[in-house]
């Protein structure tokens, strides 16, 4: 099944006194790139969530947001840093004396200074927190993967239809190529008669020239390889693995064979088909940039 690299999934659930939010979104990228925004005190989750998401997603630039809100207020204590508070009070007293100012500060004023009040959260079971986050991540991943699959189906249909157009052009070239050799033979015989009239014509020499020409314009090997590459490309489209990078390489090979046919052909009709094929190949190349 083809999957797009563009996706979004979000899940929110309340579990055992916590409200947990997991949000995933991704865009195209050559490899797997992951970034996570998570509350500082739960930083131990970062590596776990990266590995877990990577086990479900092979390619793409993935951004993850994790929100963890404790509903139980008893899970945190506010502690006064008395040493620091005392230093602030002493400094305020000194300012008042030095500049003959009124001592109009109180506890509220001192508490607003940095680090005077420290929030200390109760010790939490890291594994328990991770298991809760993981369960919500599963829900977000399900929506995320589902969206990528829907987009992937559109990519599948588009790429498959374009391979069919290429194969139709290949069939035309396979049929047309021998005709160009016969036409060359007829033109060559006609041209020689125009030049030498009714003088004896060396048919062996004509046959030799036509054989050389036929060898130069022969594209059977290229069309056989093209069909093989397209069969393989279609097999990739039905694979459950991440196939975007493999398809990218295969499209390069398809383009190379098409260029070879274009360089060999000495026929306007074949040349037009080659142009059509290259246009479809370029569209396929653009589409597979979106495939995981």
């Amino acid at each position: 099944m083809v999957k797009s690299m563009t996706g979004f999934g979000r899940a929110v659930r309340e579990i055992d006194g916590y409200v947990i939010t997991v949000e995933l979104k991704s865009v195209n990228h050559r490899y797997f790139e992951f970034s996570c925004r998570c509350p500082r005190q739960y930083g131990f989750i970062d590596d776990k969530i990266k590995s877990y998401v990577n086990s479900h997603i092979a390619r793409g630039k993935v951004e993850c947001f994790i929100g963890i809100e404790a509903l139980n207020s008893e899970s945190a204590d506010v502690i006064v840093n008395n040493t620091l508070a005392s230093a602030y009070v002493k400094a305020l007293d000194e300012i008042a004396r030095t500049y003959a100012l009124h001592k109009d500060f109180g506890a509220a004023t001192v508490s607003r200074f940095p680090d005077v009040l420290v929030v200390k959260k109760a010790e939490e079971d890291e594994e328990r927190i991770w298991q809760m986050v993981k369960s919500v991540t599963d829900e977000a991943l399900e929506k995320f993967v589902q969206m990528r699959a829907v987009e992937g189906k559109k990519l599948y249909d588009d790429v498959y239809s374009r391979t069919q157009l290429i194969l139709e052009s290949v069939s035309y070239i396979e049929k047309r190529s021998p005709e160009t050799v016969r036409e060359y033979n007829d033109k060559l015989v006609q041209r020689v008669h125009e030049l030498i009239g009714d003088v004896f014509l060396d048919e062996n020499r004509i046959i030799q020239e036509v054989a050389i020409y036929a060898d130069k314009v022969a594209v059977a090997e290229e069309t056989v390889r093209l069909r093989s590459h397209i069969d393989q490309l279609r097999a990739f489209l039905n694979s459950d693995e991440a196939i975007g990078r493999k398809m990218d390489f295969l499209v390069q090979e398809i383009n190379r064979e098409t260029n070879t046919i274009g360089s060999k052909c000495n026929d306007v009709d074949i040349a037009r088909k080659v142009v059509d094929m290259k246009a479809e190949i370029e569209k396929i190349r653009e589409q597979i940039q979106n495939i995981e």
Side-chain angles (χ1 to χ4, degrees):
M1 179 192 301
V2 173
K3 296 191 186 85
S4 168
M5 281 193 282
T6 303
F8 178 82
R10 187 173 188 271
V12 182
R13 236 169 42 197
E14 182 179 335
I15 308 175
D16 294 342
Y18 291 86
V19 175
I20 298 175
T21 303
V22 176
E23 185 175 292
L24 295 165
K25 60 181 178 180
S26 70
V27 293
N28 301 351
H29 198 272
R30 187 173 178 81
Y31 304 103
F32 176 78
E33 183 177 306
F34 184 85
S35 60
C36 181
R37 287 185 297 137
C38 180
R40 187 187 304 175
Q41 65 268 33
Y42 299 106
F44 61 88
I45 290 175
D46 286 357
D47 288 339
K48 294 178 182 290
I49 195 75
K50 179 179 180 180
S51 298
Y52 191 66
V53 171
N54 194 193
S55 67
H56 293 77
I57 302 167
R59 286 180 75 204
K61 184 177 181 180
V62 182
E63 294 181 7
C64 176
F65 166 77
I66 299 176
I68 304 174
E69 180 185 354
L71 299 178
N72 184 3
S73 60
E74 295 179 359
S75 63
D77 292 320
V78 178
I79 299 173
V80 180
N81 187 334
N82 288 299
T83 302
L84 190 58
S86 177
Y88 279 126
V89 171
K90 183 178 179 181
L92 291 172
D93 282 337
E94 183 178 343
I95 292 172
R97 289 195 306 271
T98 302
Y99 299 101
L101 300 174
H102 294 291
K103 295 182 181 181
D104 57 353
F105 59 87
T109 301
V110 177
S111 68
R112 285 194 288 269
F113 286 111
D115 300 324
V116 170
L117 299 180
V118 179
V119 178
K120 184 177 181 181
K121 296 186 71 66
E123 290 294 328
E124 293 178 301
D125 185 339
E126 292 186 359
E127 183 59 27
R128 173 171 167 266
I129 296 294
W130 162 240
Q131 290 301 324
M132 291 190 293
V133 170
K134 181 180 173 183
S135 67
V136 180
T137 301
D138 284 335
E139 186 177 334
L141 272 171
E142 184 178 350
K143 297 176 182 177
F144 179 84
V145 171
Q146 183 179 8
M147 179 176 176
R148 284 166 62 121
V150 170
E151 293 295 321
K153 180 60 169 60
K154 296 177 183 177
L155 293 172
Y156 175 98
D157 292 341
D158 186 74
V159 171
Y160 194 94
S161 66
R162 296 188 188 283
T163 61
Q164 185 60 38
L165 292 173
I166 293 173
L167 286 176
E168 290 173 5
S169 293
V170 170
S171 296
Y172 177 86
I173 291 169
E174 289 172 333
K175 180 180 178 181
R176 175 64 185 157
S177 184
E179 294 176 359
T180 64
V181 177
R182 286 192 293 272
E183 290 172 3
Y184 177 78
N185 178 81
D186 295 342
K187 288 179 182 178
L188 182 60
V189 171
Q190 181 182 354
R191 181 62 174 159
V192 171
H193 277 302
E194 290 174 356
L195 292 173
I196 65 175
D198 294 330
V199 178
F200 173 74
L201 186 64
D202 186 350
E203 292 187 2
N204 289 331
R205 181 59 178 164
I206 294 292
I207 292 171
Q208 184 179 0
E209 287 295 330
V210 172
I212 293 172
Y213 176 81
D215 185 60
K216 286 182 179 179
V217 301
V219 293
E221 292 183 9
E222 287 77 13
T223 57
V224 167
R225 284 195 292 267
L226 265 174
R227 288 186 178 279
S228 174
H229 292 333
I230 289 175
D231 284 345
Q232 192 173 358
L233 190 70
R234 288 179 167 182
F236 283 154
L237 287 173
N238 291 292
S239 173
D240 291 328
E241 300 177 359
I243 40 81
R245 293 177 64 187
K246 293 180 181 178
M247 291 181 71
D248 191 37
F249 172 77
L250 200 53
V251 168
Q252 292 180 38
E253 295 302 307
I254 292 173
N255 190 58
R256 184 177 292 110
E257 299 297 344
T258 303
N259 284 336
T260 302
I261 293 173
S263 66
K264 282 187 171 184
C265 77
N266 192 24
D267 180 76
V268 174
D269 293 333
I270 292 179
R272 287 172 179 164
K273 287 297 180 181
V274 168
V275 171
D276 292 341
M277 290 166 64
K278 288 178 68 66
E280 296 304 327
I281 291 168
E282 187 57 34
K283 290 172 183 175
I284 290 174
R285 191 199 305 276
E286 291 174 2
Q287 290 291 52
I288 65 175
Q289 301 308 312
N290 301 313
I291 294 177
E292 182 181 17

